[in-house]
Amino acid sequence: MSLNDDPAGLPAESLILNIQRMSTEDGPGIRTTVFFKGCGLHCLWCHNPESLSARPQMQWVETRCIGCKTCLAVCPEGALSDDGAGIRILRDRCTACGACSRACPALALERLGEPWRLDRLLDEVEKDRAYFEASGGGVTVSGGEPALQAPFVAAFLTGCRQRGPHTALDTCGFCAAEALERLLPATDLVLYDLKEIDPERHRQFTGQSNERIFANLLLIRDRMRAQERPARLWLRTPIIPRMTARLDNIAGLGRFVAENLGDAVERWELCAFNNLCRDKYRRLDMPWACREDALMTAGEMEAFANAARRAGVAADRVAWTGAVRPDEPAGDPA
Amino acid sequence: MNAATQPKFAIKTPRGLSPRIAWLRDYYFQGTARAWTNEATAWTTGTPWDVVYDEITYYIVPETYAFLQTFRSALRQAARPVPLPEGFWGWSLPERRAWFIREVMVNHVPQELLPGDLLAGGRFNLQASRCWTKAETAARDRLIYGRKGARAVMKAFHDHGYGNSGATSGHLIPDYARVLDIGWRGIHADLAETYDRLTERDRMGARGAQLRAMMTAAGMPRDLAARYAALCTRRAAGEADPARRDELAQMAANLERVPWEPPRTFWEAVQALWLTHMLVMSDENYPGPGVSFGRLDQSLHPFWRRSLDEGMDREFGKEILRCLWVHCNTVYDMMIRVGGNQGITAGYGQLFNLSGMGPGGRDMTNDLTYALLEVIDEMTPILEPKPNVRLHRNSPEALLDRVVDMIASSQGAPFLLNFDERSMAGMLREAKEAGVTHLIHEGNVHDYASVGCLENTMVGNDRSGTVDNNVNLVKAVELALTGGRDLLPFVDPMTGKTERIRQAGPRTGDATAFATWDAFWEAYCAQTRYILARCAETYEASEAIRARFSPTPYLSCLVKGCAGQGRDVTQGGAELSFTTMEGVTFATTVDSLLAIKHLVYDRKACTMAELIRALKDNWAGHEILQAKAKFRAPKYGRDDDEADRMAARVMDFWTAETWKFRTRSTGRRFRPGMLSWNYWVGDGFIVAATADGRPRGQFLSNAICPSNGADIHGPTANVNSVGKALGGKAPAGRGDWEAYLCNLPNGASHTMTFSPSLLRDPEHRRKFRAFLKGYIENGGTALQINLIDADMLREAQKHPRDYRHLLVRVTGYNAYFTSIGRELQDEIIARESHARY
């Protein structure tokens, strides 16, 4: 906490990874999605690896670099080197102070995670109000896990609601119940991730058991049944080869949803594994467990959607999304 | 079909066409293989000094400069002589020309009819004698040729990177409504009455001559229709198929009535419209560009309604419209044997509007609006006539749905979108600035329509020269850096000779000595005044020549104001007579100013001397500074208020200055706009390196669009920046139209390219519809939506034969992707993604 912070416990700034405008995939209508940095889960497939750490990180984007080596001269920690193949960031030395990214003429060095003040952030999302109003869209907080910065995010969502826009919280559910309870009163829609029905496998894939996640989901259901916020609930399940992409998993999640949530769930999206994040891992010098995995096929995704429906979830509420590879033609030797 | 020969991506193909239309359409696309074409025929008075090619109308097409002399002599040689009547050379010039065009169209150009066609009116492309006497030819040649002649003035303007300028034909919406209302008989009667009221002295003078010429011209549609009626009657007599025989008999009956008498049925109305329209192109010897129809779904609706009530099959009504589509495309036959793709290379811009606001903000969408959209959908891809759909706050959901569905199912929108609130704000600004509030006001501004691509004008009384002046705004930044001299010497590409750099603009001082940003801004303003004045002066040369030597008496019959004043439309006879200064390189200008302020004054990343050195070196050896200019300096197009304030400041200044100019020869006021056609591509090779990091040889920015790749915050940010640059909205709702402000009465071309995934399902199409509603609130006057992914375009580049019909739209004009240059193809591919640089 800095001196500028509000005595009531509201931090003056929050670390934000990205603000994506005209987002059409994070809730109803046209939205501005604010990505907060830091997450309590470490899913092996995570497609936003830059959002895992709650601290700023540096990356070097080779396609932007003009090779001027300005960065090597300005780094106060001696954390950069040029090994001939490009700029290397020595992660154990780098403090992500941003000296290199401020000096880089071509924005090839980039600091991931910048502090934003609440008023500035509210002004920023205000810019697309006309599109929100025309589309029934609004603001989505995502991450990372926004609930880990609950005081700031709650103030932000409250500010949005006061100014008008619809609010959505995109959460993995792994957070303290108190944090979630701070956010829900200012949240119109929750986008909730359900990944794995088996607690042990969940721990294996994400680093944490799923018990708290299910408990928090029931908390949301209870709020909805009590006619409190949120008004709407969408579920999302990543379909990851070798991991969550199992019929027993989807059937198990489906039974949980059908038995416990019923009509509270407006939509359940099965999100096909996506590999566009491969370069992100490389740039962050992070290994990626899914590096070699292929995309799902449309046939497979359809089968998972049907499994969810067979488990008792209303058919028209289940949908699958995402890029797929072509189904392999049966018996074609080529 | 073998998979290897099949195009990888589906291109929209026409569907559900009747055998009649399928035949006509396929025949059209056979190009040079056709037995019949509308290739221009040339006609001469037979004098040794005769000229049949008027180069002035091509001064705004730099690609033609090298061929002007060739065209002049080749067309003269190819021209067939027309016997002249006794006393011809004693007549005034407009009378000679009116007689000559009428004689050629009625008695020399053959009348022909294609199988199954429901509309008569085949050949109309002409290159006809200008009908000058020997003395007139010599006088005009003195004004065109020589060191101070119009051609040299125009070429110097272009060579030194200022842009281009010239008095150009077309580009207006003739008063077709009047023909539909009272027929040519009524127009002729009005002319005769006006003539009768002239004093004897006036009859002897220019006014009398002009009115006599217009009366001659007004008889041309009647005489030509009679020829076509006779042809239809002959064809009917020899026709074996009874159904076709009936059609031909009805066509003959239609032509015996219209366009001389006012039409009664929809078929008659479209026939009257087509003959009247095609003769404008004959009169101007100019095939199509910008000769626009106005609000077709409004002007034809009473006839559509009446014929439907009287039992016309709706499908047959659409069949008549489909024939109109085929006819409009034959403009491309003008030079069909010249050029690589059978002349089908560019958009000609016979535009029409659909839908839009009526009195009191009421929406004017009707059944004909939808019928016309159906015809477009069925005929696409085909180029002419080009639709421009007017949207506003009260546009019906059904129309928006239809528009978005059509965007989703074509490779891009098969129409432009025009936005009424912002457009009308611009027209009302024009009324105030030019003192014409009696002609444009809150009670009639909704009747505006678009010309050519998107240029807003009033209808039937307005010639605003919407492509006449194309000025590179960024030239003023260059001159401010150098104290009024070209940054680099001009090297003639033909002779290789280097010109000495001369003082051109005002001496605004040594930029390296400017202590503050404000000092630089003052120099920039002084140089902007200079480039606008120089453009106006360049225009004056060709405008004065046209006014004196190239009357268009037929067109003048269709423009309110000409008859009453007895003045040709080329002499400023229109009630609303403007010429438009189209600002090109807007974003390059704004970004260059932002970069100078950022690098030299705010951040002190370099000195002014270092920056000028880098620009002279075309950034070579200055890559770090170039990267800072490109990537670290603020840019217009990101919804960044600081950058957009600069954009608004630039816009306010250059538009306010533009209103100060007026042509001396014809008294036409200059008004501002941003069209920029394709000049930002070609002039990229002429304009020196710019402070925004662009090297010479790279494209400039297009119209009101942000610089290529600068819009890193996505489409909504891009749109918001455009709206702010045009003026934004006024506090307390006191704008030019309600809260809307608009500096550009002409409007501004805005092109955006989206990934097709944004329209992949009904849910996303609803989101896109909402985006358009957001555009109505925050955006500009006109939007072209392209919906193409880069892979598909690369595929088309590799296999052009498989993608011959792939349409792309650049700045509102259509082109077949495979027929445009490789550089522009690459540019469109680069623009495809909204990603970072």
Side-chain angles (χ1 to χ4, degrees):
Chain A
M1 238 194 208
S2 79
L3 286 175
N4 291 328
D5 291 349
D6 180 89
L10 175 62
E13 296 180 333
S14 184
L15 209 56
I16 285 171
L17 197 54
N18 187 21
I19 297 172
Q20 196 195 334
R21 295 171 64 176
M22 199 162 168
S23 162
T24 53
E25 313 304 321
D26 296 309
I30 293 170
R31 311 194 71 82
T32 295
T33 303
V34 181
F35 292 90
F36 288 85
K37 206 159 164 12
C39 186
L41 297 184
H42 283 68
C43 305
L44 293 170
W45 56 81
C46 180
H47 63 270
N48 284 332
E50 72 278 25
S51 72
L52 293 174
S53 164
R55 291 187 310 172
Q57 287 162 286
M58 303 307 300
Q59 71 170 355
W60 175 70
V61 183
E62 62 278 18
T63 50
R64 296 184 200 156
C65 183
I66 60 169
C68 68
K69 300 192 172 62
T70 303
C71 51
L72 301 184
V74 300
C75 178
E77 311 293 338
L80 296 172
S81 72
D82 180 4
D83 65 3
I87 302 295
R88 301 286 309 166
I89 301 167
L90 307 175
R91 299 282 169 189
D92 52 343
R93 289 196 194 170
C94 176
T95 63
C97 68
C100 59
S101 59
R102 281 192 299 278
C104 175
L107 309 181
L109 277 152
E110 193 176 12
R111 187 160 80 159
L112 301 166
E114 290 294 337
W116 277 75
R117 291 182 55 93
L118 181 60
D119 50 354
R120 245 186 89 214
L121 188 61
L122 284 166
D123 288 345
E124 185 65 20
V125 300
E126 179 81 12
K127 288 177 172 175
D128 279 353
R129 175 194 274 268
Y131 309 91
F132 301 158
E133 287 175 356
S135 68
V139 174
T140 298
V141 291
S142 182
E145 176 47 58
L148 295 187
Q149 304 189 47
F152 183 92
V153 174
F156 173 60
L157 292 174
T158 305
C160 287
R161 284 193 49 79
Q162 279 164 359
R163 295 185 184 203
H166 174 277
T167 55
L169 165 67
D170 178 10
T171 177
C172 71
F174 186 74
C175 59
E178 300 74 40
L180 196 58
E181 282 171 334
R182 262 189 107 150
L183 301 184
L184 291 180
T187 302
D188 294 310
L189 166 73
V190 173
L191 306 169
Y192 204 92
D193 286 4
L194 276 186
K195 297 172 169 115
E196 172 61 57
I197 190 70
D198 174 48
E200 193 39 49
R201 284 202 174 99
H202 197 281
R203 188 189 306 279
Q204 198 188 323
F205 299 154
T206 72
Q208 301 291 343
S209 170
N210 59 13
E211 284 152 31
R212 193 191 290 187
I213 293 169
F214 284 114
N216 279 338
L217 182 56
L218 295 177
L219 184 157
I220 291 170
R221 177 203 61 188
D222 293 343
R223 291 291 182 96
M224 292 175 73
R225 287 194 177 156
Q227 304 289 311
E228 291 171 41
R229 259 180 248 285
R232 301 160 73 182
L233 173 64
W234 293 6
L235 300 179
R236 304 208 277 195
T237 299
I239 303 295
I240 309 298
R242 302 182 292 113
M243 297 187 228
T244 64
R246 305 183 326 275
L247 289 172
D248 65 292
N249 180 35
I250 303 306
L253 289 172
R255 280 192 296 277
F256 177 86
V257 171
E259 284 161 22
N260 295 290
L261 301 172
D263 280 352
V265 175
E266 185 180 317
R267 174 193 292 219
W268 182 13
E269 258 177 55
L270 306 181
C271 308
F273 166 69
N274 118 33
N275 60 6
L276 295 177
C277 54
R278 197 179 288 164
D279 285 342
K280 290 189 188 176
Y281 280 93
R282 188 174 47 73
R283 289 191 189 121
L284 292 166
D285 299 309
M286 289 166 67
W288 189 33
C290 301
R291 218 190 117 74
E292 307 300 331
D293 286 308
L295 296 182
M296 307 297 295
T297 70
E300 289 168 336
M301 292 306 294
E302 201 52 53
F304 287 119
N306 286 331
R309 292 171 186 133
R310 273 199 306 277
V313 181
D316 60 345
R317 300 192 180 199
V318 179
W320 66 265
T321 60
V324 291
R325 68 190 157 93
D327 283 292
E328 270 148 34
D332 188 338
Chain B
M1 202 188 220
N2 184 332
T5 64
Q6 241 173 12
K8 194 168 146 199
F9 297 91
I11 299 208
K12 189 176 181 312
T13 47
R15 59 180 171 76
L17 296 185
S18 66
R20 177 205 319 269
I21 301 298
W23 190 91
L24 286 170
R25 188 187 174 286
D26 290 348
Y27 185 70
Y28 173 72
F29 276 109
Q30 284 175 23
T32 46
R34 269 185 270 147
W36 181 86
T37 75
N38 183 28
E39 187 176 28
T41 50
W43 306 90
T44 173
T45 53
T47 63
W49 60 81
D50 196 19
V51 177
V52 299
Y53 175 74
D54 188 354
E55 65 182 57
I56 284 179
T57 205
Y58 296 93
Y59 279 5
I60 62 154
V61 191
E63 293 82 354
T64 64
Y65 294 172
F67 307 104
L68 295 178
Q69 207 57 32
T70 315
F71 284 142
R72 177 167 169 158
S73 41
L75 283 163
R76 171 65 187 84
Q77 276 173 3
R80 281 166 272 184
V82 172
L84 303 176
E86 200 68 31
F88 180 82
W89 294 107
W91 302 346
S92 70
L93 175 56
E95 287 171 282
R96 274 176 260 149
R97 176 76 177 168
W99 180 90
F100 195 86
I101 295 288
R102 175 167 155 176
E103 175 69 10
V104 165
M105 282 309 295
V106 176
N107 294 324
H108 293 269
V109 171
Q111 285 87 36
E112 294 146 328
L113 200 60
L114 287 174
D117 202 346
L118 296 173
L119 296 174
R123 286 180 191 265
F124 57 84
N125 277 333
L126 287 190
Q127 292 291 349
S129 170
R130 311 310 303 189
C131 301
W132 296 320
T133 62
K134 188 173 185 182
E136 283 164 348
T137 306
R140 183 176 173 280
D141 281 352
R142 274 194 301 279
L143 296 170
I144 294 269
Y145 297 122
R147 272 193 49 227
K148 297 262 165 89
R151 199 194 274 184
V153 166
M154 164 284 284
K155 272 203 82 229
F157 190 72
H158 179 254
D159 287 342
H160 290 268
Y162 292 85
N164 63 72
S165 170
T168 312
S169 304
H171 298 93
L172 80 173
I173 303 165
D175 197 359
Y176 295 145
R178 198 142 179 265
V179 177
L180 299 180
D181 188 26
I182 61 172
W184 277 97
R185 180 202 280 278
I187 293 172
H188 189 274
D190 273 2
L191 289 166
E193 201 179 302
T194 307
Y195 184 75
D196 288 344
R197 280 202 310 269
L198 292 186
T199 61
E200 194 55 36
R201 203 191 141 100
D202 274 343
R203 276 189 212 169
M204 303 282 287
R207 289 179 72 186
Q210 177 68 28
L211 283 165
R212 286 193 302 275
M214 286 166 70
M215 284 188 279
T216 301
M220 172 164 63
R222 175 195 56 202
D223 296 352
L224 185 62
R227 295 279 178 156
Y228 273 110
L231 175 66
C232 291
T233 304
R234 284 199 304 278
R235 286 283 174 82
E239 177 63 51
D241 173 11
R244 179 61 183 159
R245 193 161 57 229
D246 289 351
E247 282 175 3
L248 288 163
Q250 185 57 53
M251 286 170 71
N254 291 347
L255 288 154
E256 277 157 16
R257 180 174 172 86
V258 298
W260 186 246
E261 304 291 345
R264 295 163 306 190
T265 67
F266 185 66
W267 198 350
E268 285 178 353
V270 178
Q271 177 67 75
L273 181 67
W274 171 249
L275 269 192
T276 301
H277 173 72
M278 74 172 227
L279 286 172
V280 173
M281 299 184 273
S282 307
D283 184 48
E284 290 199 296
N285 294 188
Y286 193 66
V291 183
S292 300
F293 291 103
R295 304 180 76 178
L296 213 48
D297 63 344
Q298 308 302 313
S299 58
L300 287 177
H301 188 251
F303 303 98
W304 175 257
R305 194 65 266 155
R306 188 187 313 162
S307 286
L308 287 178
D309 288 348
E310 289 170 359
M312 178 182 73
D313 178 23
R314 189 171 184 278
E315 212 30 53
F316 187 74
K318 281 169 61 187
E319 194 78 343
I320 296 168
L321 289 169
R322 294 185 194 106
C323 289
L324 177 66
W325 252 249
V326 174
H327 277 271
C328 282
N329 279 277
T330 62
V331 296
Y332 292 94
D333 290 356
M334 174 80 166
M335 299 211 271
I336 191 165
R337 286 179 295 176
V338 182
N341 203 10
Q342 283 113 57
I344 308 172
T345 51
Y348 273 51
Q350 302 162 84
L351 197 72
F352 66 96
N353 289 102
L354 288 174
S355 184
M357 219 187 265
R362 188 156 59 90
D363 178 69
M364 298 300 281
T365 311
N366 59 40
D367 179 53
L368 184 56
T369 314
Y370 291 105
L372 283 158
L373 283 171
E374 287 158 31
V375 169
I376 296 156
D377 200 21
E378 289 152 6
M379 299 288 283
T380 297
I382 198 162
L383 290 172
E384 303 284 325
K386 285 194 278 177
N388 179 321
V389 182
R390 282 176 43 177
L391 300 181
H392 57 100
R393 282 175 173 167
N394 296 327
S395 292
E397 296 294 321
L399 178 72
L400 288 166
D401 279 344
R402 185 88 182 102
V403 159
V404 172
D405 283 349
M406 284 176 70
I407 294 169
S409 66
S410 305
Q411 307 105 29
F415 37 67
L416 271 138
L417 297 174
N418 225 62
F419 295 87
D420 280 349
E421 285 86 352
R422 186 78 68 192
S423 294
M424 289 169 11
M427 293 304 293
L428 289 172
R429 177 79 64 91
E430 171 173 301
K432 267 177 276 180
E433 290 283 352
V436 289
T437 48
H438 60 297
L439 295 168
I440 312 171
H441 46 78
E442 296 217 343
N444 74 348
V445 67
H446 55 263
D447 283 332
Y448 88 91
S450 324
V451 156
C453 295
L454 51 95
E455 306 97 277
N456 296 328
T457 66
M458 296 307 278
V459 175
N461 67 342
D462 186 329
R463 177 173 252 184
S464 289
T466 64
V467 293
D468 286 2
N469 301 275
N470 304 285
V471 66
N472 290 328
L473 297 171
V474 75
K475 184 70 186 180
V477 183
E478 178 184 327
L479 295 175
L481 287 166
T482 58
R485 301 156 64 86
D486 286 351
L487 189 70
L488 300 170
F490 170 68
V491 182
D492 190 314
M494 307 290 268
T495 62
K497 264 175 61 183
T498 303
E499 266 183 26
R500 196 170 53 82
I501 296 181
R502 294 197 190 87
Q503 185 72 31
R507 296 174 194 274
T508 44
D510 178 0
T512 64
F514 292 158
T516 63
W517 157 251
D518 289 336
F520 185 83
W521 172 260
E522 286 310 314
Y524 161 75
C525 290
Q527 299 295 351
T528 297
R529 276 185 213 106
Y530 165 71
I531 63 167
L532 296 175
R534 179 159 174 183
C535 187
E537 207 48 47
T538 304
Y539 186 67
E540 187 65 39
S542 62
E543 172 79 352
I545 295 171
R546 178 173 73 171
R548 189 171 155 198
F549 294 104
S550 299
T552 50
Y554 174 82
L555 175 58
S556 299
C557 296
L558 293 167
V559 182
K560 258 192 218 91
C562 296
Q565 299 180 70
R567 256 164 93 184
D568 197 88
V569 67
T570 56
Q571 295 168 335
E575 281 182 348
L576 290 166
S577 198
F578 292 91
T579 184
T580 307
M581 190 76 81
E582 303 283 3
V584 186
T585 69
F586 176 65
T588 308
T589 306
V590 174
D591 291 350
S592 294
L593 292 168
L594 284 166
I596 292 167
K597 182 169 184 290
H598 175 89
L599 296 172
V600 178
Y601 295 102
D602 295 350
R603 297 297 165 95
K604 301 189 171 33
C606 66
T607 64
M608 189 69 92
E610 284 162 351
L611 179 62
I612 293 170
R613 184 73 255 161
L615 296 178
K616 282 187 175 164
D617 294 343
N618 203 26
W619 294 110
H622 309 272
E623 285 76 13
I624 294 179
L625 186 58
Q626 181 185 19
K628 286 179 181 170
K630 277 170 82 167
F631 304 112
R632 301 222 66 120
K635 298 264 181 286
Y636 159 69
R638 299 175 175 176
D639 208 1
D640 162 359
D641 283 335
E642 183 203 332
D644 293 344
R645 260 195 299 279
M646 181 74 83
R649 196 177 182 199
V650 168
M651 182 72 84
D652 285 346
F653 182 75
W654 89 267
T655 56
E657 289 299 312
T658 294
W659 288 111
K660 295 178 182 167
F661 296 96
R662 188 189 281 278
T663 62
R664 289 192 300 278
S665 52
T666 54
R668 297 167 78 193
R669 192 82 176 261
F670 282 78
R671 64 170 205 159
M674 280 190 189
L675 171 64
S676 91
W677 200 41
N678 62 0
Y679 302 126
W680 90 99
V681 177
D683 282 12
F685 296 90
I686 295 172
V687 174
T690 42
D692 61 343
R694 172 196 147 273
R696 181 185 196 148
Q698 204 177 75
F699 298 153
L700 299 151
S701 66
N702 170 12
I704 193 115
C705 305
S707 298
N708 208 355
D711 60 333
I712 55 173
H713 292 147
T716 55
N718 179 328
V719 171
N720 290 359
S721 287
V722 166
K724 281 188 269 179
L726 282 167
K729 286 187 182 171
R734 300 220 182 111
D736 297 307
W737 165 265
E738 294 180 352
Y740 292 83
L741 294 162
C742 184
N743 271 309
L744 301 178
N746 169 91
S749 166
H750 188 198
T751 301
M752 298 182 80
T753 305
F754 294 90
S755 161
S757 69
L758 207 59
L759 289 150
R760 63 181 181 266
D761 55 28
E763 181 182 345
H764 284 81
R765 287 202 276 277
R766 276 196 298 279
K767 293 189 188 204
F768 198 78
R769 197 177 68 192
F771 168 75
L772 294 179
K773 289 184 179 176
Y775 196 102
I776 292 170
E777 293 301 322
N778 287 12
T781 68
L783 178 63
Q784 172 64 54
I785 293 164
N786 282 351
L787 202 72
I788 286 170
D789 70 61
D791 287 343
M792 177 172 172
L793 294 177
R794 283 191 205 100
E795 194 72 17
Q797 259 186 338
K798 270 186 257 162
H799 307 288
R801 277 161 192 228
D802 294 340
Y803 293 90
R804 270 189 60 178
H805 292 123
L806 174 60
L807 272 179
V808 290
R809 289 162 175 85
V810 187
T811 324
Y813 82 88
N814 306 336
Y816 290 105
F817 181 76
T818 52
S819 74
I820 59 178
R822 178 80 188 198
E823 284 143 359
L824 191 52
Q825 286 183 352
D826 287 340
E827 196 271 346
I828 290 169
I829 290 172
R831 196 179 56 194
E832 203 288 306
S833 60
H834 280 273
R836 278 172 190 258
Y837 284 86

